[in-house]
Coordinates of all heavy atoms in Angstrom, one line a residue:
P1 N 0.8 -1.2 0.0 CA 0.0 0.0 0.0 C 0.8 1.3 0.0 O 0.3 2.3 -0.2 CB -0.8 -0.1 1.3 CG -0.7 -1.5 1.7 CD 0.6 -2.0 1.2
A2 N 2.2 1.2 0.3 CA 3.0 2.4 0.4 C 2.9 3.3 -0.8 O 2.7 4.5 -0.7 CB 4.4 2.0 0.7
P3 N 3.0 2.8 -2.1 CA 3.0 3.7 -3.2 C 1.7 4.5 -3.3 O 1.7 5.7 -3.5 CB 3.1 2.7 -4.4 CG 3.8 1.5 -3.9 CD 3.3 1.4 -2.5
S4 N 0.5 3.8 -3.1 CA -0.7 4.5 -3.2 C -0.9 5.5 -2.1 O -1.4 6.6 -2.3 CB -1.9 3.5 -3.2 OG -1.9 2.8 -1.9
S5 N -0.4 5.2 -0.9 CA -0.6 6.1 0.2 C 0.3 7.3 -0.1 O 0.0 8.5 0.3 CB -0.2 5.5 1.5 OG 1.2 5.0 1.5
N6 N 1.5 7.1 -0.6 CA 2.4 8.2 -1.0 C 1.8 9.1 -2.0 O 1.9 10.3 -1.9 CB 3.8 7.7 -1.5 CG 4.6 7.1 -0.4 OD1 4.4 7.4 0.8 ND2 5.6 6.3 -0.7
D7 N 1.1 8.5 -3.0 CA 0.5 9.3 -4.0 C -0.6 10.2 -3.4 O -0.8 11.4 -3.8 CB -0.2 8.4 -5.1 CG 0.9 7.7 -5.9 OD1 2.1 8.2 -5.9 OD2 0.6 6.7 -6.5
K8 N -1.4 9.6 -2.5 CA -2.4 10.4 -1.8 C -1.8 11.5 -1.1 O -2.4 12.6 -1.1 CB -3.2 9.5 -0.9 CG -4.1 8.5 -1.6 CD -4.9 7.6 -0.7 CE -5.7 6.6 -1.4 NZ -6.4 5.7 -0.5
M9 N -0.7 11.3 -0.4 CA -0.1 12.3 0.4 C 0.4 13.5 -0.5 O 0.2 14.6 -0.1 CB 1.1 11.7 1.2 CG 0.7 10.9 2.3 SD -0.1 11.8 3.6 CE 1.3 12.7 4.3
E10 N 1.0 13.1 -1.6 CA 1.5 14.1 -2.6 C 0.3 15.0 -3.1 O 0.4 16.2 -3.1 CB 2.2 13.5 -3.7 CG 3.5 12.9 -3.4 CD 4.2 12.1 -4.5 OE1 3.6 12.1 -5.6 OE2 5.2 11.5 -4.3
T11 N -0.8 14.4 -3.5 CA -1.9 15.2 -4.0 C -2.5 16.0 -2.9 O -2.9 17.2 -3.1 CB -3.0 14.2 -4.5 OG1 -3.4 13.3 -3.5 CG2 -2.5 13.5 -5.8
E12 N -2.6 15.5 -1.6 CA -3.1 16.3 -0.5 C -2.2 17.5 -0.3 O -2.7 18.6 0.0 CB -3.2 15.4 0.7 CG -4.4 14.4 0.7 CD -4.4 13.5 1.9 OE1 -3.5 13.7 2.8 OE2 -5.2 12.6 1.9
E13 N -0.9 17.2 -0.3 CA 0.1 18.3 -0.1 C -0.1 19.4 -1.2 O -0.1 20.6 -0.9 CB 1.5 17.8 -0.1 CG 1.9 17.1 1.2 CD 3.2 16.5 1.1 OE1 3.9 16.7 0.1 OE2 3.6 15.8 2.1
E14 N -0.3 19.0 -2.4 CA -0.4 19.9 -3.5 C -1.7 20.7 -3.3 O -1.7 22.0 -3.5 CB -0.5 19.2 -4.9 CG 0.8 18.7 -5.3 CD 0.7 17.9 -6.6 OE1 -0.4 17.7 -7.1 OE2 1.8 17.4 -7.0
D15 N -2.8 20.1 -2.9 CA -4.1 20.8 -2.7 C -3.9 21.8 -1.6 O -4.5 22.9 -1.6 CB -5.2 19.7 -2.3 CG -5.5 18.9 -3.5 OD1 -5.2 19.3 -4.6 OD2 -6.1 17.8 -3.3
E16 N -3.1 21.4 -0.5 CA -3.0 22.3 0.6 C -2.1 23.5 0.2 O -2.3 24.6 0.7 CB -2.4 21.6 1.8 CG -3.4 20.6 2.4 CD -2.7 19.7 3.5 OE1 -1.5 20.0 3.8 OE2 -3.4 18.9 4.1
E17 N -1.1 23.2 -0.6 CA -0.1 24.3 -1.0 C -0.8 25.3 -1.9 O -0.4 26.5 -1.9 CB 1.1 23.7 -1.7 CG 2.0 23.0 -0.7 CD 3.1 22.3 -1.4 OE1 3.2 22.4 -2.6 OE2 3.9 21.6 -0.7
I18 N -1.7 24.9 -2.8 CA -2.2 25.9 -3.8 C -2.8 27.1 -3.1 O -2.5 28.2 -3.5 CB -3.3 25.2 -4.7 CG1 -2.6 24.2 -5.6 CG2 -4.1 26.2 -5.5 CD1 -3.5 23.3 -6.4
P19 N -3.6 27.0 -2.1 CA -4.1 28.3 -1.5 C -3.1 29.1 -0.7 O -3.0 30.3 -0.8 CB -5.2 27.8 -0.5 CG -5.5 26.4 -0.9 CD -4.3 25.9 -1.5
S20 N -2.2 28.4 0.0 CA -1.2 29.1 0.8 C 0.0 29.6 0.0 O 0.7 30.5 0.4 CB -0.7 28.1 2.0 OG -0.1 27.0 1.4
E21 N 0.3 28.9 -1.1 CA 1.5 29.2 -1.8 C 1.3 30.5 -2.6 O 2.3 31.2 -2.9 CB 1.9 28.1 -2.8 CG 3.2 28.3 -3.5 CD 3.5 27.1 -4.4 OE1 2.8 26.1 -4.4 OE2 4.5 27.2 -5.2
F22 N 0.1 30.8 -3.0 CA -0.3 32.0 -3.7 C -1.2 32.9 -2.9 O -1.8 32.5 -2.0 CB -0.9 31.6 -5.1 CG -0.1 30.6 -5.8 CD1 -0.5 29.3 -6.1 CD2 1.2 31.0 -6.3 CE1 0.3 28.4 -6.7 CE2 2.0 30.1 -7.0 CZ 1.5 28.8 -7.2
I23 N -1.2 34.2 -3.4 CA -2.0 35.2 -2.7 C -3.5 34.8 -2.8 O -4.0 34.2 -3.7 CB -1.8 36.6 -3.3 CG1 -2.3 37.7 -2.4 CG2 -2.4 36.7 -4.7 CD1 -1.9 39.0 -2.8
S24 N -4.2 35.2 -1.7 CA -5.7 34.9 -1.7 C -6.5 36.1 -2.3 O -5.9 37.2 -2.4 CB -6.1 34.7 -0.2 OG -6.0 35.8 0.5
R25 N -7.7 35.8 -2.6 CA -8.5 36.9 -3.2 C -8.8 38.0 -2.2 O -8.8 39.2 -2.5 CB -9.9 36.3 -3.7 CG -10.7 37.3 -4.4 CD -12.0 36.7 -4.9 NE -11.8 35.7 -5.9 CZ -12.8 35.1 -6.5 NH1 -14.0 35.2 -6.1 NH2 -12.5 34.2 -7.5
K26 N -8.9 37.6 -0.9 CA -9.1 38.6 0.1 C -8.0 39.6 0.2 O -8.1 40.8 0.4 CB -9.3 37.9 1.5 CG -10.7 37.2 1.6 CD -10.8 36.5 3.0 CE -12.1 35.8 3.1 NZ -12.3 35.1 4.4

């Protein structure tokens, strides 16, 4: 299961980084 769990972690990290890495609309 390690590869699939790593893939999930990567996508989750990317999703989390998108709002914080760039300026918000506010």
Side-chain angles (χ1 to χ4, degrees):
S4 60
S5 63
N6 285 342
D7 292 341
K8 287 178 182 177
M9 287 295 289
E10 287 174 4
T11 53
E12 285 174 4
E13 285 175 3
E14 287 175 1
D15 291 340
E16 289 174 2
E17 285 175 2
I18 287 170
S20 60
E21 189 178 351
F22 306 114
I23 194 167
S24 66
R25 184 179 292 180
K26 288 182 181 179

